[in-house]
DNA sequence: AAAGAATGTGTCC
DNA sequence: TGGACACCCTTCTT
């Protein structure tokens, strides 16, 4: 093993220490030797936490030569420098101070002290409204101006929720869809290609179809003319049309008729939406092309059109709910684009909405179709208040943690289809918070007109991230996909939903409570700790005061412990 | 309990 | 243009 070799390389006795002074870390930054040592002695790495961040290595086998290296240095796993460490301390994640803020991507502070973490509305300024006329106004000419209620109604977000859980997917959940008429049916797709139909009222009633697609189901829609039929777009390059009851499926289009011809030729279908008026399924691939399928003949119609940068993935499509001629697309070329489908030619988009990173989703607002909501991988939710207005820049950018991670389904902010003011959106959160000694990733309800975090929903048992979320079109129900599991959140039967107040709500699910996991020793000195005892009874009773104390806990900046 | 695998996007050359 | 490689809060299995 390494010791023999090393005894020749490092004949001296080296004792490395971390002191609290800045001096020591800067001195040691230039010293490469200890790093080599530590890399080789992998067996010791797991004991970091027991040594409270300090690593001790000894070479006891070298009797004759007696070179002993004792390293008491902390090594940051993020920047590989010494003197500090990044990672979880108990349920609290400590950022690497050498990197820009993980949340807002700005240098000079860490996520802990990021003003956007303390208040999501930080820096959100309503855009001035220039009512410049543009091409979209022309498209909308025959349409009456949509009615938007002048007074914003209260959101219906319950203070107490029940949670139904099911796990029938064998890979992570990638998309969810509620049935258009049956209030209790949820459709789910996963990375393996399976499609599930779940009656969440009778929790155990579910069907899983495993032979419709061979890999990722990226988007699903119900047929507008037949409630029992499901369209799905998959990375296997096909669109399927499936009978929900029987599972009998037909393929509307197959972009890989000759099978696997290498990764450069394999076409995958991502964005998909249905346009009832045009009897069309719009679908787009990973090379930038848009395809049309006529739902009457179930045949591809016309030629594929390049709608995003050639070779880049088009991940989202959305037809305007009021104006069927308008289509919104988004993709990996950092753009969301608005199209008039009557003149679909490469480069003919009505508007290109620029983003700094990949755009995971772009949606017209569900009622008026006038607003646009996008989720991009630069940790920002963007809102355009009116497609009639100035589209050069978004009306608002809300910093929110929903980074890209290759192991997670991309996050998408989704409108609440029931909110007449078209300002409520739901999106899962990537970074965790320390709740009672457990790291949890809440699902955030955000008022996109102000940037305020209206509510955050979580369950002590759901320790995984929930990137996939869908609000019910009629009921006060939220469906979430978290890893391989599905969750349904809804108000407790005996609990009256309260109207929106100024303060944020933390909604803790009580339905599936288990015993808490062990608490980390580091949590004892946190400000959070004082809330722990008050917090716990909340889970059993309906004590709103405790919920408030939880809110306070959330807003208290954490102390970095060293 | 620790290690390994799965595997998308950005950046660099 | 494309290949190599890095990569910050994953999650599950062995």
């Amino acid at each position: 093993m390494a010791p023999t070799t090393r005894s020749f390389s490092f004949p001296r006795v080296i004792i490395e220490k971390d002191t609290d002074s800045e001096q020591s870390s800067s001195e040691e930054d230039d010293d490469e030797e200890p790093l080599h040592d530590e890399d080789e002695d992998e067996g010791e790495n797991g004991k970091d936490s027991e040594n409270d961040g300090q690593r001790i290595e000894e070479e006891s086998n070298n009797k004759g030569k007696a070179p002993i290296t004792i390293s008491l240095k902390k090594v940051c796993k993020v920047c590989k420098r010494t003197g500090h460490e990044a990672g979880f301390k108990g349920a609290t994640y400590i950022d690497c101070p050498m990197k820009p803020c993980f949340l807002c991507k700005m240098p000079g502070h860490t996520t802990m002290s990021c003003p956007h973490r303390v208040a999501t509305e930080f820096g959100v300024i309503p855009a001035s409204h220039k009512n410049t006329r543009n091409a979209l106004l022309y498209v909308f000419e025959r349409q009456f101006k949509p009615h938007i209620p002048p007074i914003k109604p209260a959101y219906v977000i319950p203070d107490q929720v029940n949670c139904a859980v099911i796990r029938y997917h064998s890979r992570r959940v990638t998309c969810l869809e509620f049935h258009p008429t049956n209030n209790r049916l949820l459709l789910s797709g996963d990375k393996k290609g399976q499609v599930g139909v779940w009656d969440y009222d009778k929790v155990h009633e579910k069907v899983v179809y495993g032979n419709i697609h061979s890999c990722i189901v990226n988007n699903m829609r119900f047929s507008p003319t037949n409630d029992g039929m499901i369209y799905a777009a998959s990375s296997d390059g096909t669109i399927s049309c499936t009978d929900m009851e029987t599972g009998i499926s037909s393929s509307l289009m197959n972009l890989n008729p000759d099978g696997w011809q290498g990764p450069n030729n394999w076409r995958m279908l991502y964005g998909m939406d249905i346009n009832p008026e045009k009897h069309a399924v719009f679908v787009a691939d990973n090379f930038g092309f848009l395809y049309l399928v006529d739902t009457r003949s179930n045949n591809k119609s016309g030629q594929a059109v390049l709608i995003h940068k050639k070779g880049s993935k088009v991940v989202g499509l959305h037809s305007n709910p009021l104006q069927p001629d308008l289509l919104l697309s988004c993709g990996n070329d950092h753009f969301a684009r608005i199209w008039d489908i009557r003149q679909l030619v490469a480069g003919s988009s009505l508007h290109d909405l620029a983003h700094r990173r990949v755009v995971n989703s772009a949606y017209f607002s569900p009622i008026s179709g006038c607003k646009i909501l996008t989720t991009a991988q630069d940790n920002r939710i963007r809102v355009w208040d009116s497609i009639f207005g100035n589209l050069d820049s978004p009306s608002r950018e809300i910093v929110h943690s929903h980074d890209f991670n290759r192991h997670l389904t991309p996050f998408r902010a989704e409108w609440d289809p029931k909110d007449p003011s078209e300002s409520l959106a739901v999106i899962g959160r990537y970074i965790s918070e320390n709740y009672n000694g457990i790291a949890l990733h809440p699902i955030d309800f955000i008022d996109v007109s102000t940037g305020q975090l209206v509510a955050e929903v979580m369950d002590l048992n759901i320790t995984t991230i929930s990137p996939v979320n869908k609000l019910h079109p009629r009921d006060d129900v939220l469906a979430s996909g978290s890893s391989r599991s599905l969750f349904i959140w809804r108000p407790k039967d005996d609990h009256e939903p309260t109207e929106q107040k100024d303060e944020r709500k933390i909604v803790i699910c009580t339905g599936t409570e288990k015993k808490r996991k062990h608490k980390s020793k580091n949590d004892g000195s946190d400000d959070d700790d004082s809330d722990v005892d008050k917090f716990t009874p909340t889970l059993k009773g309906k004590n709103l005061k405790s919920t408030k104390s939880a809110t306070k806990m959330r807003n208290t900046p954490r102390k970095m412990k060293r």
Side-chain angles (χ1 to χ4, degrees):
Chain A
M1 237 183 74
T4 327
T5 335
R6 213 181 307 133
S7 64
F8 293 109
S9 316
F10 309 110
R12 287 188 301 125
V13 174
I14 304 165
I15 299 174
E16 295 140 358
K17 278 187 189 173
D18 263 321
T19 62
D20 289 337
S21 68
E22 298 290 328
Q23 192 189 355
S24 89
S25 60
S26 55
E27 274 173 17
E28 283 155 359
D29 282 341
D30 299 325
D31 184 5
E32 287 289 293
E33 290 173 359
L35 283 178
H36 289 307
D37 263 354
E38 284 152 10
D39 286 343
E40 287 161 25
D41 283 357
E42 284 174 330
E44 296 289 329
N45 288 351
K47 295 184 178 170
D48 281 4
S49 57
E50 287 167 26
N51 293 333
D52 196 22
Q54 294 185 326
R55 182 174 308 176
I56 300 175
E57 292 170 12
E58 251 180 274
E59 295 176 12
S60 51
N61 293 340
N62 270 342
K63 288 163 198 161
K65 292 150 192 169
I68 298 173
T69 302
I70 301 173
S71 174
L72 301 172
K73 292 169 48 161
K74 301 164 182 171
V75 178
C76 175
K77 68 172 186 181
V78 175
C79 70
K80 309 288 190 290
R81 300 176 84 172
T82 52
H84 66 273
E85 278 183 308
F88 275 105
K89 286 260 185 241
T92 305
Y93 190 91
I94 309 295
D95 266 8
C96 170
M98 310 305 287
K99 294 277 184 173
C101 172
F102 187 57
L103 175 56
C104 73
K105 310 300 178 194
M106 302 302 281
H109 65 271
T110 65
T111 316
M112 291 292 176
S113 53
C114 179
H116 298 282
R117 181 162 171 139
V118 176
T120 42
E121 65 270 31
F122 177 81
V124 176
I125 304 160
S128 61
H129 234 63
K130 301 175 197 166
N131 280 318
T132 47
R133 295 176 67 84
N134 62 26
L136 285 163
L137 204 54
Y138 179 77
V139 175
F140 260 76
E141 226 163 26
R142 66 187 165 101
Q143 183 202 320
F144 57 88
K145 201 162 186 181
H147 170 70
I148 297 177
I151 300 166
K152 187 156 54 172
Y155 303 132
V156 186
I157 297 171
D159 291 310
Q160 297 279 320
V161 289
N162 274 325
C163 185
V165 189
I166 198 163
R167 181 149 95 174
Y168 49 71
H169 287 285
S170 55
R171 292 289 182 272
R172 66 170 199 245
V173 174
T174 53
C175 55
L176 293 172
E177 202 69 21
F178 281 104
H179 192 276
T181 54
N182 185 329
N183 284 348
R184 301 293 180 239
L185 280 186
L186 179 70
L187 208 59
S188 55
D190 74 17
K191 196 170 166 291
K192 198 183 179 187
Q194 296 193 323
V195 174
V197 184
W198 179 28
D199 181 338
Y200 55 84
D201 228 13
K202 307 160 189 165
V203 174
H204 299 290
E205 281 199 20
K206 92 282 183 183
V207 191
V208 188
Y209 298 117
N211 53 359
I212 300 172
H213 291 290
S214 57
C215 60
I216 315 180
V217 180
N218 290 306
N219 264 301
M220 293 184 296
R221 292 286 186 276
F222 278 94
S223 160
T225 52
N226 179 352
D227 281 355
M229 296 301 275
I230 306 161
Y231 292 99
S234 163
S235 290
D236 65 12
T238 68
I239 311 176
S240 62
C241 183
T242 307
D243 186 307
M244 197 177 74
E245 296 290 329
T246 64
I248 294 170
S249 176
S250 60
S251 180
L252 272 58
M253 191 170 85
N254 182 4
L255 293 184
N256 304 299
D258 303 324
W260 179 256
Q261 304 287 324
N264 295 334
N265 297 302
W266 186 259
R267 292 182 171 292
M268 304 188 254
L269 290 173
Y270 282 84
M272 184 189 69
D273 200 16
I274 290 177
N275 191 325
E277 282 207 18
K278 307 284 172 184
H279 307 284
V281 177
F282 289 102
V283 68
D285 72 5
N286 57 328
F287 291 107
F289 287 92
L290 174 77
Y291 306 81
L292 258 86
V293 174
D294 192 304
T295 53
R296 292 164 295 189
S297 64
N298 275 355
N299 275 322
K300 196 175 137 191
S301 61
Q303 289 294 308
V305 182
L306 185 69
I307 59 169
H308 281 264
K309 185 181 171 187
K310 197 169 186 181
S312 76
K313 195 189 286 179
V314 183
V315 289
L317 291 177
H318 189 215
S319 282
N320 192 292
L322 281 196
Q323 174 49 262
D325 291 329
L326 284 183
L327 179 72
L328 182 60
S329 66
C330 63
N332 280 24
D333 64 352
H334 303 186
F335 280 99
R337 302 182 201 274
I338 307 170
W339 302 85
D340 182 343
I341 61 166
R342 294 167 301 184
Q343 38 173 329
L344 265 177
V345 190
S348 71
S349 56
L350 301 175
H351 278 282
D352 297 338
L353 310 177
H355 296 67
R356 281 199 293 276
R357 284 285 185 271
V358 168
V359 190
N360 288 346
S361 67
Y363 296 111
F364 289 116
S365 55
I367 299 167
S368 73
C370 282
K371 300 182 185 182
I372 288 175
L373 174 68
T374 70
T375 308
Q377 291 182 3
D378 62 352
N379 267 354
R380 276 146 180 89
I381 295 166
R382 289 176 175 80
V383 191
W384 283 262
D385 276 338
S386 172
I387 53 175
F388 301 114
N390 179 11
L391 291 171
D392 294 341
S393 61
S395 308
R396 273 171 299 286
E397 287 186 4
I398 302 160
V399 173
H400 176 265
S401 172
H402 51 255
D403 264 36
F404 169 78
N405 178 314
R406 65 182 147 171
H407 308 292
L408 299 174
T409 304
F411 292 84
R412 300 165 163 185
E414 303 257 348
W415 294 103
D416 179 3
K418 304 177 294 298
D419 171 22
S421 70
E422 299 187 316
S423 51
L424 185 62
V426 66
I427 182 168
R429 196 192 303 172
Y430 188 179
I431 52 174
S432 61
E433 292 286 346
N434 180 347
Y435 292 99
N436 203 13
I438 306 174
L440 295 178
H441 309 264
I443 298 156
D444 292 330
F445 287 73
I446 294 173
D447 182 336
V448 297
S449 69
T450 62
Q452 277 186 326
L453 186 57
V454 179
E456 35 191 328
V457 175
M458 74 209 86
D459 183 310
L460 282 182
N461 301 300
I462 306 172
T463 53
T464 49
I465 296 168
S466 308
V468 190
N469 295 285
K470 206 91 185 180
L471 286 162
H472 197 284
R474 294 165 299 278
D475 293 343
D476 293 321
V477 166
L478 165 69
S480 303
S482 191
S483 186
R484 290 151 49 178
S485 301
L486 297 175
F487 299 88
I488 290 287
W489 316 79
R490 50 182 161 180
K492 280 189 156 185
D493 295 338
D494 58 349
H495 189 82
E496 283 294 312
T498 54
E499 291 198 342
Q500 184 198 5
K501 293 168 196 149
D502 285 341
E503 67 191 77
R504 181 193 314 167
K505 290 171 189 157
I506 296 193
V507 183
I508 308 283
C509 174
T510 66
T512 56
E513 187 186 357
K514 277 193 295 201
K515 278 190 178 173
R516 271 190 291 149
K517 291 173 188 167
H518 75 280
K519 267 192 4 151
S520 150
K521 58 187 170 188
N522 296 305
D523 294 330
S525 67
D526 269 2
D527 285 346
D528 305 358
D529 201 44
S530 60
D531 287 314
V532 166
D533 288 339
K534 295 175 222 157
F535 191 60
T536 310
T538 319
L539 305 170
K540 292 178 177 161
K542 295 165 203 164
N543 186 349
L544 266 180
K545 279 185 180 172
S546 298
T547 309
K548 280 177 194 166
S549 78
T551 307
K552 178 176 142 255
M553 172 189 86
R554 167 65 176 74
N555 282 328
T556 308
R558 290 167 198 288
K559 277 187 286 190
M560 243 233 248
K561 201 187 167 217
R562 277 285 114 199

